[in-house]
Structures are given as C-alpha cells and as structure tokens.
Amino acid sequence: MNHLPVLPIVLPLLAGALLLLTERAGITAQRALAAVAMLLQLGIAFTQLQGAAGGEVSIYLLGDWPAQLGISLAVDRLSALMVTTTAVLGAAALFYAGSGWDQRAPHFHALFQFQLAGLNGAFLTADLFNLFVFFEVLLIASYGLLLSGGRGPRMRVGFQYVVFNVTASTLFLVALGLLYGLLGVLNMHEMGAAIARAPAENLALIAAAGGILLVVFGAKAALLPMYLWLPQTYARAPAPVAALFAIMTKLGIYAILRVYTLLFGADAGDLSGWAADWLLPAGAIALVLATLGALAASSLRGLAAYLVVASAATLFIVLGLDQPATTGPGLYYLVHSTFAAAALFLLADLIRRRRGEAGDSLRVATPTPQRGLFGALFLLIAVSLAGLPPLSGFIGKFTLLASMSNAQAAWLWPLILICSLLTLIALARAGSQLFWKGGSAEDAGGTRASSVEVGAVAVLVALGIGISLFADPVLRYGRETAQQVHSTVDYRAAVERASPRLRSPTPLAQPPAEATP
C-alpha cells in the first residue's frame, strides 16, 4: 500500500510529539528538528502535487478498514494543491519565527506542527466526521499559538476567538448528528447518493443540516455576518501565527467547495446546488464591507486582516457562481491571496517593531527604518493585493472576470473593480503614511531587521511573482482541478474502488462427519 497520502498528517504529529519531548534540549535543537520536519513536509507535498496533476485520485484506508467504516483519505488535485500551499506557507512562517519570536512562546514549535497536522488532515479526509475531528485538532493548536505569551488586548480577542470557534464546533456536531440520523452515512462520497434517494419528507431537515454546515464553514472563512471576529484576532496575533492563519480562512472555502459539490452536487436531486443562492449575495456584501473596513483601518496589521476578509469574500462569490469556468481562476486567486496576505502580516510586524511607540499605526507619521527595503517589499505586496498588472492579483481577478457570463458580469464587474480601486486607495494611504510622511530612513532609530526576517517576507513575495511568471501552468492546473471537483466522478469512483488489502481468512474446514454404522 502507498502510504504517501497519510504522511502529511503523521509526520507533523510525530514531529510535534518529539518537539514536546525535547524542549529541554534548547531552542537550537527545537529549531533544527522543526526545520527538518518542515523540509520533509515540503517534499511530500510537492510529490503529492506531482502525482495528482495527472488526474489520479489516491485513496488511503487507515487501519485497512473499508471507507464506509473507517477513516479514508483522498488525494486529488484540490487536496494536493491545498496541502502544498499549506506546506509552503508554513515553511515561510516558521522561518520568520526562527528569528527569535519562537523563544517568547512556550511550546511554539510543537503547537505549530500540530496545527499543520490538523490543516492537512482537513484537506485530505474523505469523511465528514473526521473533517470535524481535524478541525478540532487545528483549532486547539491555534488557541495555544494565539494566546501563548500574550497579554492585554491579545488575551481579550483570543478568548473571543476561542468562544466563537467552540460555538461553531458545537453547531458542527449538531449538523453531523442530523445528517447521520437522516442518511445513515458520513462518508462524503456516499452522502450525495443518499440525499438523492432521501424521501421528500426528509429534505427540509437535510437542507437545515446543510444550512448549519454552511454557517460553520462560513464562520471559519469569515462570511457575512460572521467575519466580525477576524480583523481584531488576526491583527493581534503574533506575526508568524497570523501568516499561518491566512490559510485557515481558505480552509472554510475549501470545506464548502468539497462538501457541497459532493453532498449537494448535480446528482443530489431537489437539493442540488441550493447553497449557491446564499453564497453569491453574502460574498458580494462581505466584499463591500471588508473593503470599507480596509479604508478605515488604523494599523497596517488591521489593514492586512480586512484584506483577508476581502479575499475570502471574493472566493465566496466564486463559490456562489458554482461553475467550473470560474472555480479554476478562483483557485489561482486563492493561492495568490494567501501568500500576499501572509507577506503583509510579516512586513507589518517588521515595521511595527522598529517605529517605536507608533508601531504600525497609520494615524501617526513617524520615520520608518530601512525605508527603501521595506517600501519596496510593501510596493510589491500592495500591487499584488490591489490587483494591478503585472502581478498575480491582476491575473487572478482578470481571468475570474473574463470567465463570467454576460448576466453575471453586468453587476459583478463593477462591484469587484470598484472594490479593487478602494483597496488600492487604502494601500496607497498606508504606504504614504509609513514611507513618505514619516521622513527619511536616516532619521529613524531602532534596530535593523535580520536577514532571516526579511528573507521570509521576500520568499512569499517571490512566490507571488513566480505564479505570475508561470501563470499559464498554474491556471491550467486550476481549471483541471475545477473540472475534477465539480464532476465528482473521479473522486467517487476512486473511493468506491478502494478496498482493504487484507481479506477475511478462509473459514477452517469442518471435520468430516462420522460414518453412520
């Protein structure tokens, strides 16, 4: 059996356990072990991505149990893309944390690995209950990462984050109970067929359970009106943690795309595609509010947090359109926005720690040290986030707009373009306040940024430039992924074909009956 599909989960779990056991060995040993684990995860992720690029769906049955009874993992184009994005982002965030921040947070490296395990498990699982389990793994680790070493405002927003997510997890369990009681299965490839066969009197309850799931996943991805927790939480989180959190909103997007194409896809009967009617207007309104929040942001970290909400809102519009033609560019935009937002969080932290009492405030004009270096990095990030040519933000939005039908484009084009213009204004205002009004770099005090910190930001910026230069193969992969996700045929067939390798032993031969005298 090929054990590659389970390695993105097992490896960080083992690394996290070893990191807990070796904490007394010192921070140098912790960093070395975490770096080795991260490099191995990168190698595994790219190997999976290469294997999935041909369209094959790999199924792994944990414990050799049938998919209907045990835990099954599935590696297709979509899950491989998300695992690879997580590994690359995690490597950059871990590299940045190694500059010294990891010494201020107890158990940082172990919690970081556990969160990676939860994220990878959520992207790979083919079972709805195990999606809940991996959600809890990553959330528990995120609680520790957010609250560790914190005080004051961070503790306050951290407790709000915990309460909010515990409530969402409770709703998740309620939805799981309803669906299992109505359908009798929780394996996602079987749930769609069970919904299609469900009696008419059960459809309202199934739709209600699906609506609860939509609330849960929307809460993770900051969908209107459940995004109010995110700006303050991300703005107060430590920089490497906020950078890793950039993929957590995309997990909610992934969960909706995966679950609703399998459960409420084209073969779901009367409930086919019902969620799209809610996602499109909610995403459009969230995009407007997030853009206004970015305009009103008082700090660079707050601006980055609102841009995370705006990127998630754009992806909700993609989900609401519910078409392979728009999902492909949407996946390109997902990768771009994740790296760009993470880079802005890290850059904001570099600036905040070198501007004295002003921090990263956009209301105080204070000289910024290393203005030329930081200004150049900010310019590249801002151009990408605002969607200006020639970087990945422009390519993602242009291909997305070009894929819309005339009826959709009539109102979505003005909406997205106006919000992009307002985003550009917000970023230009921030750049002007930080790098122009504050005076020359020679007037600024403070320590210079280390090469490790600048290198982590530069890597993320370079990744954005890379997917711009190689936009054609990345977009092609996104379009092929969208076709595979929306058709669900390959995914269902692969899970149905998967069977345990160990068969039941042949019954022992019965002794011959005694001859009758």
Side-chain angles (χ1 to χ4, degrees), residues 72-95:
S72 56
L73 306 177
V75 182
D76 63 349
R77 288 189 176 105
L78 178 59
S79 58
L81 175 66
M82 300 304 295
V83 168
T84 303
T85 303
T86 301
V88 173
L89 180 63
L94 190 66
F95 190 53

Side-chain angles (χ1 to χ4, degrees), residues 353-377:
R353 291 189 285 114
R354 287 161 180 82
R355 288 182 78 218
E357 294 183 359
D360 63 333
S361 174
L362 301 179
R363 295 177 178 174
V364 179
T366 300
T368 300
Q370 298 176 263
R371 184 173 66 169
L373 174 61
F374 292 163
L377 290 172

Side-chain angles (χ1 to χ4, degrees), residues 433-505:
Q433 192 75 0
L434 292 170
F435 305 111
W436 183 24
K437 294 182 180 180
S440 66
E442 288 75 16
D443 299 333
T447 59
R448 296 178 66 84
S450 70
S451 57
V452 172
E453 294 171 322
V454 175
V457 181
V459 165
L460 290 172
V461 172
L463 287 169
I465 297 174
I467 63 174
S468 304
L469 295 174
F470 298 95
D472 184 62
V474 178
L475 282 168
R476 189 186 316 119
Y477 185 94
R479 294 188 182 100
E480 292 170 351
T481 302
Q483 292 290 343
Q484 187 179 55
V485 169
H486 280 274
S487 71
T488 73
V489 174
D490 294 340
Y491 192 96
R492 293 179 190 274
V495 179
E496 289 170 359
R497 285 196 307 265
S499 59
R501 295 184 65 191
L502 299 178
R503 302 295 182 181
S504 300

Side-chain angles (χ1 to χ4, degrees), residues 332-333 336-337 340 381 383-399 420 464 467-468:
Y332 179 95
Y333 180 82
H336 136 77
S337 60
I381 296 170
V383 167
S384 185
L385 286 171
L388 295 177
L391 296 185
S392 53
F394 170 77
I395 296 171
K397 288 186 178 180
F398 178 80
T399 52
S420 297
I467 63 174
S468 304

Side-chain angles (χ1 to χ4, degrees), residues 44-68:
I44 293 167
F46 280 107
T47 302
Q48 286 190 340
L49 186 70
Q50 184 179 12
E56 179 184 356
V57 181
S58 302
I59 304 298
Y60 186 86
L61 304 176
L62 271 72
D64 213 30
W65 285 91
Q68 296 83 354

